[in-house]
Every structure is written in structure tokens, then in C-alpha cells.
Amino acid sequence: MDLMEKLEILSDAAKYDAACTSSGVDRKGEKGGIGSCVKAGICHSFASDGRCISLLKVLMTNSCVYDCKYCVNRRSNDVRRTAFTPRELADLTIQFYRRNYIEGLFLSSGILKNPDYTCERMIQALEILRGEYRFGGYIHAKAIPGADDRLIARLGLLADRMSVNIELPSQQSLGRLAPDKSKTDILRPMGLIQTGIAENSSDLVRYRHAPKFAPAGQSTQMIIGATPDSDFQILRLTQGLYRKYGLKRVFFSAYMPVQEDALLPSLDTRPPLLREHRLYQADWLLRFYGFDASELLDEGHQSFNPLVDPKCNWAINHMDQFPVEVNRAPYEMLLRVPGVGVKSAQRIVAARRTGTLTFEGLKRIGVVLKRAQYFLLCSGKMAEGLVVTPDAVLRALISERDYERARLPEEAPEQLSLFDRNPSREDVVQCLTGQI
């Protein structure tokens, strides 16, 4: 099998790894070396100046000794198998970089023979890139659960970002769909990476030229929709991972049926893309807006509202805390107002030091008044002509995009009838608010 055939197979096998994030590294290229991480986003992300950045995203091998039921590369699946040698992968990366196809490498792998052997091959490839080719570009490497601690440590010194996929939200789900994996094996490398990053931070304070350990931090990925785990369970786990292991990002991947199995959703099941979207919105609230997972969902409400984003949903359910006076409200409360983002909240705090804000002024600052006007007062007054009740606010906050997403049929398509009619926007709202 030639190199291009291997590339076709192993790049296709890597497409289910979600890691669309910027590099988080600001390392300039060195004299005599090649590659740079300065202001570069990774995994087809967008940099701060709007550039779309690409990388070579491949598996070291799609041969795997594990039999995870949701994975296209599982042991029992009949697919073409192949593997890069460390030299082949390093040469391919450099050739693609020199042709300006890529600016970095995202490297994952199936488990070939055992975790240690697989991790060693990944390390050999990165050592050729970093040492022989003096490649200074961004490298994201997937740590292999079950590999020796020393191998994980060596991989962290070669990569900019590391990640360990937690895959499924609970041990029960792992036991059903990935019997060869355990929660302990997955969380252990997370702890090792966190410890390595913390120790390296103190080393860099004392020794300017100390080698850097995973300077862009670590991340993980969860599959959404393959198991009965609720949004509440997923969000609570996400918050725990941020707090305990200091993760940079938790990625959510809507399950795409690729295998027929009694324990998995049927092959005609639609990927839960709206659910994935809501989880990303909630993740943003956890990281930047000061929300707690228990505020967004609880035991009695374990799923997100499909019609409105989590922040709007929280505000509608806590109308007793609104409206707030924009000229006096604390910064933390401004962040909880729908239509007010982090930057606009900062601008409000800065602007009200020099004068009194009006609704027109808020619009110029960047506040989305279409949403925020239901929750704000300017000099003790609300915007004119508003009807503020939970139902009226809900109707006003539903965007056309969310409405179209929510009304898409989940069942298999059927023959249309002349007597059928599509539900109207009002029908959907009334159904979700319990009026019909």
C-alpha cells in the first residue's frame, strides 16, 4: 500500500475526533527551524483576524485491539487497515507544511498491539519532527489511556496540546459500549497531564529555558446521543472535569450512526446536532459567564429547551431577578442578561463611569436589545411598548434559526399528504409551553 492510500484511509478514520480549537500557543519560529505557532488557530478554526487555519488530522493507525461498539475502527469491524511508520508520518507532515497545505498536526491513533507500543510510535514520529526537522508548528497529540506514565510525560514535552477522550459520560455507558476501557484508565492520564503542566509552570519561573510541557493545556471529547445519559449528567461531568483537571476545552460530538448494534441507536437516527449546539452554549456559560451546572439544569429538568439557548432559558425561569438597572447592576449580574456578552458587559461598566446609559447607548455599545430589553432598566424605565410575561418573552426570544431547528422532524421521512400542514411558529411555542 503506497503512502497516499494510507493517507486516504487514516485521514478519513480520524474525522470523528472533534477538536476545533485555536492552538493557544504563541511561539515564534526559531532561526534555522521551520513552522510557527504565532496567532495560529488549529483544526480548521478561525484565528482572531478571521483566517481559517488547517492542519493534518490523521491516525497513526486504524488497527485497534479494542472493540468499542460506536467506533468505526473497532476490532470486529470489516474495514481496510493500515498504519504509518513514524518516518512516513513525519515526512508527510513536513511535505504538506512546505507546500502550505497545513500549519500543524493533529495526531491520534487506534491501539496497535497495546497502549505502550502505540504511544512509543507516536513519540518517535514527533521526535523526528521536533528534532530532525526542527518543526516549530503546532502539534496536538491524543494521549493513549493505559500507556506508561513516562511515555505520557515524554509525549507532553513534544506536543503543544494533549487530550484524552473520555468518550462516554458514565462508567455504565463505557461498560456497555466500550468494555475494554475504564473510567480509571481515562482519568489517570488526565491527572498526569495536569500535574505535568503545573510542575512545568513552576520550572519555567525558575529556569527560563526549561522545556515546556503541553503549553496549550489539555482537552477531551464526549460523544452525545449514543447512550441514554442526559444533558444534566453531561453538563455536571463537564464542570467537574474543568474544576478537577483544569481542562482548556470539553468538546461534544453528536453521535453519527456508523455501526449496526442492538445497544446503539439505529442507523437511520439523525445526529443530535441541536443538542450538541446547546451543550456548547452551556459550556460557554460555565467557562466565561459564571454559571454553575446546577443553575442551568437539575434533577427535574435534565434536558435543554430546544427553542431557546440556555442563558435565555435560565433568565425566563428567573424573572424574579429581573429587570436590573443597567447603570448600577454588578458586572456579574450583567453577564446573566440575555443579549449581553462579556465584551458588552465590560463596555457597560466602563461607559457608565462617565455618564448615564440609555437604550440607544446600549445598542451602540453592542448589546443585542432584541433580547436584553426585556431584562434591563435604563434610569428606572423599561423600553416602551413591551409586554413582559414569561410566555411573551419566550416568543420574543425564539430566533428563526432555532425555530427551524426545533421543528425539523426526528422520525423517518414519510410520503406527504395534501391534507398535512407544517406546524406554525405559534404551534411550536404553545406545545413547548404546555398550552396545547
Side-chain angles (χ1 to χ4, degrees):
M1 187 180 294
D2 64 30
L3 191 59
M4 292 311 296
E5 285 183 291
K6 289 185 178 182
L7 177 62
E8 183 179 352
I9 293 170
L10 295 175
S11 60
D12 183 69
K15 65 185 179 183
Y16 298 103
D17 265 321
C20 301
T21 179
S22 60
S23 67
V25 179
D26 191 21
R27 182 181 61 249
K28 295 181 179 180
E30 297 179 358
K31 185 177 180 180
I34 59 175
S36 170
C37 279
V38 177
K39 296 180 181 177
I42 303 301
C43 292
H44 302 289
S45 183
F46 289 91
S48 57
D49 60 359
R51 292 177 301 120
C52 182
I53 310 298
S54 59
L55 82 170
L56 177 60
K57 184 177 182 182
V58 294
L59 299 183
M60 194 82 195
T61 179
N62 66 339
S63 298
C64 192
V65 298
Y66 292 165
D67 199 30
C68 305
K69 298 185 185 301
Y70 52 82
C71 183
V72 70
N73 300 312
R74 66 178 181 175
R75 182 181 66 236
S76 60
N77 196 25
D78 185 18
V79 296
R80 295 177 70 192
R81 308 285 182 174
T82 188
F84 285 124
T85 66
R87 172 62 63 178
E88 285 176 337
L89 180 61
D91 288 350
L92 189 67
T93 303
I94 289 300
Q95 292 303 320
F96 274 34
Y97 179 82
R98 286 173 173 165
R99 288 169 172 79
N100 201 31
Y101 295 161
I102 61 168
E103 294 188 63
L105 172 67
F106 182 107
L107 181 59
S108 185
S109 182
I111 308 301
L112 185 63
K113 293 186 179 179
N114 57 63
D116 284 350
Y117 181 77
T118 305
C119 195
E120 286 170 356
R121 289 173 67 86
M122 293 174 67
I123 289 171
Q124 289 169 18
L126 298 192
E127 284 178 336
I128 294 171
L129 281 171
R130 295 299 199 201
E132 184 175 328
Y133 289 117
R134 301 186 66 186
F135 180 67
Y138 175 85
I139 295 177
H140 183 150
K142 292 277 185 176
I144 306 299
D148 187 89
D149 295 358
R150 290 167 293 181
L151 295 175
I152 299 293
R154 178 57 184 158
L155 194 62
L157 292 172
L158 295 166
D160 294 291
R161 172 167 286 182
M162 295 185 69
S163 55
V164 187
N165 283 358
I166 200 165
E167 304 287 11
L168 298 173
S170 66
Q171 178 60 53
Q172 181 181 3
S173 296
L174 277 173
R176 291 175 68 240
L177 300 183
D180 301 304
K181 296 181 179 179
S182 71
K183 187 177 178 180
T184 303
D185 287 342
I186 294 171
L187 295 181
R188 178 174 174 78
M190 281 190 184
L192 292 172
I193 295 169
Q194 182 200 27
T195 301
I197 292 172
E199 291 177 349
N200 185 243
S201 298
S202 61
D203 289 343
L204 288 171
V205 172
R206 291 179 291 176
Y207 310 107
R208 179 182 176 186
H209 298 292
K212 294 181 179 179
F213 185 93
Q218 66 169 318
S219 58
T220 191
Q221 172 186 313
M222 274 188 273
I223 299 171
I224 307 303
T227 61
D229 300 290
S230 68
D231 293 340
F232 176 56
Q233 291 173 286
I234 293 168
L235 194 62
R236 191 167 55 177
L237 173 60
T238 298
Q239 180 173 270
L241 292 173
Y242 281 131
R243 291 179 176 177
K244 187 172 182 180
Y245 297 104
L247 269 62
K248 291 290 186 181
R249 285 293 302 274
V250 175
F251 292 96
F252 307 103
S253 178
Y255 174 69
M256 300 179 64
V258 293
Q259 300 295 326
E260 184 69 57
D261 193 284
L263 297 176
L264 291 171
S266 61
L267 290 178
D268 60 354
T269 302
R270 294 174 180 270
L273 297 177
L274 179 56
R275 186 181 177 194
E276 176 193 284
H277 179 61
R278 292 288 180 241
L279 283 165
Y280 272 119
Q281 290 176 320
D283 172 82
W284 206 259
L285 296 180
L286 296 181
R287 293 192 295 136
F288 300 112
Y289 286 78
F291 279 86
D292 190 89
S294 61
E295 293 182 279
L296 301 174
L297 293 172
D298 54 40
E299 293 289 350
H301 303 84
Q302 300 216 3
S303 299
F304 288 113
N305 188 330
L307 282 179
V308 292
D309 66 74
K311 187 178 180 183
C312 289
N313 192 59
W314 177 86
I316 291 170
N317 291 327
H318 293 81
M319 293 298 289
D320 57 303
Q321 300 189 29
F322 298 104
V324 296
E325 172 56 57
V326 72
N327 290 292
R328 294 193 301 272
Y331 173 75
E332 293 75 17
M333 192 61 197
L334 290 174
L335 286 177
R336 292 176 174 247
V337 176
V340 177
V342 174
K343 287 187 177 180
S344 53
Q346 292 170 348
R347 290 169 183 165
I348 289 172
V349 172
R352 67 190 185 186
R353 295 193 187 112
T354 57
T356 301
L357 285 167
T358 63
F359 284 106
E360 187 60 33
L362 292 177
K363 188 175 182 179
R364 290 196 296 269
I365 281 175
V367 173
V368 183
L369 280 183
K370 182 179 178 181
R371 298 186 175 196
Q373 61 185 345
Y374 296 94
F375 306 95
L376 290 177
L377 297 174
C378 286
S379 300
K381 297 180 180 179
M382 295 198 72
E384 294 182 5
L386 292 183
V387 178
V388 183
T389 65
D391 286 351
V393 174
L394 176 60
R395 288 183 175 87
L397 295 181
I398 297 173
S399 68
E400 290 296 331
R401 179 183 297 179
D402 288 337
Y403 165 69
E404 291 298 329
R405 283 172 172 165
R407 68 186 285 270
L408 288 174
E410 293 296 330
E411 65 276 3
E414 298 178 356
Q415 178 64 43
L416 289 175
S417 166
L418 290 173
F419 302 101
D420 287 340
R421 73 177 182 91
N422 288 329
S424 68
R425 181 188 180 98
E426 196 70 17
D427 291 337
V428 175
V429 174
Q430 290 179 358
C431 180
L432 289 175
T433 55
Q435 297 177 38
I436 60 173

